[in-house]
Amino acid sequence: MKVSVVGTGYVGLVTGACLAEAGNDVVCMDVDADKIAALERGEVPIYEPGLEPLVAENVAAGRLRFTTDMDACVDHGLFQFIAVGTPPDEDGSADLRYVLDVARGIGARMDDYRVIIDKSTVPVGTADKVRSAVGEELAARGQDIEYDVVSNPEFLKEGAAVEDFMKPDRIILGCDNVRTGALLRELYAPFNRNHERVITMDVRSAEMTKYAANAMLATKISFMNEVANLCERVGADVEMVRQGIGSDPRIGFSFIYPGAGFGGSCFPKDVAALERTAREHGYTARMLQAVEAVNDEQKTVLERKIVARYGEDLTGKTFALWGLAFKPNTDDMREAPARRLMEGLWARGATVRAHDPEAMDECRRIYGERADLTLVDDRYAALEGADALVLVTEWKPFRSPDFDHIAATLRDPVIFDGRNIYDPAVLAPHGLTHVAIGRPQTTPGEG
């Protein structure tokens, strides 16, 4: 089937490559000529496991092409995926200008029936706006061409996006008619073989489903961070509590790991956008407001623990940071807790030596060269000259380090464990103090 994807960011590129892998003829379009040129050279602009070889294989097979030509993009595909960004506006709402620009571009060029698919995360009611934008362009041309607008939200986890697309938990189709649903079922048939994964619903329910899913997951995280903060005050161990409540199948173990707050391109933006949607409809979403507030405060938890140990003025102190990305297996630093931590440490006069397996180029792009930041290519090199180690992102290479080496290298043998990945009983015999989230502090001799 012929597919056009507008936008070669995280969602658009994964969507295009995976649909091409299923045998479809896919054209991905972007207005960024440099990005398109890089993709044509085989350079994938984001780090996502499995994506680069998938793109290369399908380009070589002729199933995947890239262009900056909107005319060619609209002319090519029966299916027109809109996969452009919806960044948060100043008031927290999703900025739909890019989505509607694409819709107008399709309406200005289409000469035959098209299925226009909102793949971008968009607020409830966006499909109506897309439909109007396309219709206005057709009317301006004096054309009466049939088209349908569908909501097909993505549920891709950064770090596992290719696998999520190839083996989805569910495929949500928000359609207004049976014909469009049948066409999309045919498109998604290769990903729907073992058991029925397609859930068809009305367009507005599909749009709400995406936001509700991310808001629920974000709520679980913020709730667990609240529990962790309370555990510290009452002398409980949140890791024991987590195991106790996670064993209840009604709760489960997913997304109940306390830490330094959630980040990334989805949860913060989507919770804010859903809360804004509620306000626009005269409803105060108190739980969503609380989720945002708890997460914002949680991003300062590591800084507060550092200050509690070393004082308000950190001039002359150096901290080794392991992890910059907001989560493992990505180079994405959007809303990353590491950013809030580093900025807080710098404001107090400290310097940072940081290592991340994938996100250091992104860190350089964001912060440039500065005297109080040193990025190193080796995790142990980050420890040199550092007073303490702060674990911010739970990459696998950080899980089983040489604790004797860490203790011998740090000026003050302490690990601030922002993801609770270390067992304090293991650290103490190595002479390391363990400061975690929602757990009693363990110092040498207490193991």
Side-chain angles (χ1 to χ4, degrees):
M1 304 182 81
K2 290 190 174 183
V3 178
S4 295
V5 181
V6 183
T8 58
Y10 184 82
V11 174
L13 191 56
V14 171
T15 297
C18 290
L19 288 174
E21 177 71 5
N24 297 292
D25 182 4
V26 180
V27 169
C28 289
M29 181 269 171
D30 203 292
V31 296
D32 188 335
D34 290 339
K35 182 185 288 188
I36 292 299
L39 285 166
E40 288 177 333
R41 294 192 300 268
E43 300 170 10
V44 174
I46 56 174
Y47 175 75
E48 179 61 39
L51 182 57
E52 188 169 330
L54 193 69
V55 169
E57 290 165 12
N58 283 282
V59 168
R63 293 187 296 266
L64 179 62
R65 288 169 285 150
F66 300 100
T67 184
T68 58
D69 186 345
M70 188 65 174
D71 290 339
C73 181
V74 175
D75 183 63
H76 174 77
L78 165 64
F79 299 101
Q80 299 279 319
F81 281 89
I82 301 178
V84 294
T86 54
D89 218 334
E90 291 182 5
D91 61 1
S93 62
D95 186 345
L96 296 178
R97 75 180 79 174
Y98 305 113
V99 170
L100 297 179
D101 281 348
V102 174
R104 284 187 284 267
I106 295 170
R109 293 168 173 83
M110 57 184 284
D111 58 7
D112 199 356
Y113 173 71
R114 293 289 182 267
V115 180
I116 301 166
I117 304 162
D118 282 335
K119 198 69 173 173
S120 302
T121 299
V122 293
V124 176
T126 299
D128 295 335
K129 295 178 181 179
V130 168
R131 189 177 291 108
S132 295
V134 175
E136 289 167 6
E137 291 295 330
L138 288 171
R141 295 166 52 200
Q143 298 288 328
D144 183 16
I145 301 171
E146 191 177 3
Y147 63 96
D148 285 303
V149 178
V150 175
S151 175
N152 175 218
E154 54 85 16
F155 297 96
L156 307 177
K157 298 186 295 293
E158 291 193 45
V162 172
E163 182 177 2
D164 284 348
F165 198 103
M166 294 295 193
K167 300 176 181 178
D169 296 319
R170 72 284 206 199
I171 300 167
I172 303 293
L173 302 179
C175 308
D176 287 334
N177 60 60
V178 174
R179 177 185 61 175
T180 310
L183 286 170
L184 283 163
R185 279 181 171 274
E186 184 180 353
L187 179 66
Y188 278 112
F191 314 101
N192 190 41
R193 296 202 180 280
N194 291 340
H195 62 272
E196 183 59 59
R197 295 180 172 91
V198 174
I199 303 173
T200 304
M201 59 185 69
D202 64 277
V203 173
R204 287 187 170 232
S205 295
E207 291 171 333
M208 177 59 86
T209 296
K210 169 63 175 179
Y211 277 103
N214 279 353
M216 172 59 81
L217 298 176
T219 298
K220 292 183 72 174
I221 296 170
S222 279
F223 173 79
M224 208 61 198
N225 283 332
E226 285 269 65
V227 171
N229 295 335
L230 184 56
C231 282
E232 290 184 4
R233 287 158 175 78
V234 303
D237 186 335
V238 74
E239 286 301 300
M240 299 295 102
V241 175
R242 180 183 65 78
Q243 294 175 36
I245 67 173
S247 60
D248 185 331
R250 296 170 300 174
I251 298 173
F253 287 100
S254 297
F255 289 86
I256 61 168
Y257 290 84
F262 59 76
S265 63
C266 294
F267 286 5
K269 175 174 69 70
D270 292 354
V271 171
L274 187 55
E275 192 275 328
R276 173 65 183 180
T277 297
R279 280 189 280 135
E280 289 174 349
H281 288 79
Y283 181 74
T284 301
R286 294 180 179 85
M287 184 172 290
L288 296 178
Q289 292 174 348
V291 169
E292 288 186 280
V294 169
N295 191 58
D296 188 64
E297 180 70 14
Q298 197 68 14
K299 288 184 180 180
T300 69
V301 68
L302 287 171
E303 181 185 347
R304 285 186 275 115
K305 290 178 179 293
I306 290 169
V307 166
R309 186 173 182 89
Y310 300 113
E312 298 280 348
D313 185 357
L314 299 176
T315 302
K317 296 290 185 183
T318 298
F319 295 94
L321 260 64
W322 280 4
L324 294 165
F326 86 93
K327 62 179 286 188
N329 296 323
T330 181
D331 59 357
D332 195 344
M333 288 186 64
R334 284 174 288 185
E335 301 285 342
R339 295 180 64 171
R340 182 76 71 87
L341 174 60
M342 289 192 295
E343 290 163 9
L345 294 176
W346 292 332
R348 296 179 182 277
T351 59
V352 171
R353 292 176 61 83
H355 170 73
D356 187 285
E358 294 295 338
M360 291 197 293
D361 285 342
E362 178 66 3
C363 188
R364 291 187 186 95
R365 186 191 68 80
I366 294 169
Y367 294 110
E369 298 295 328
R370 48 186 301 158
D372 50 10
L373 173 63
T374 301
L375 298 172
V376 295
D377 292 328
D378 178 79
R379 55 182 172 161
Y380 294 119
L383 307 174
E384 296 171 6
D387 290 275
L389 169 61
V390 189
L391 186 287
V392 189
T393 313
E394 63 276 32
W395 285 90
K396 285 184 179 179
F398 300 156
R399 290 183 176 272
S400 299
D402 184 338
F403 292 120
D404 286 331
H405 180 75
I406 294 172
T409 305
L410 295 173
R411 293 171 181 162
D412 181 16
V414 58
I415 297 178
F416 294 89
D417 184 358
R419 298 296 173 185
N420 288 5
I421 68 170
Y422 299 129
D423 184 344
V426 172
L427 266 61
H430 293 278
L432 286 163
T433 295
H434 183 242
V435 182
I437 310 294
R439 310 194 72 180
Q441 177 175 309
T442 303
T443 55
E446 295 181 351

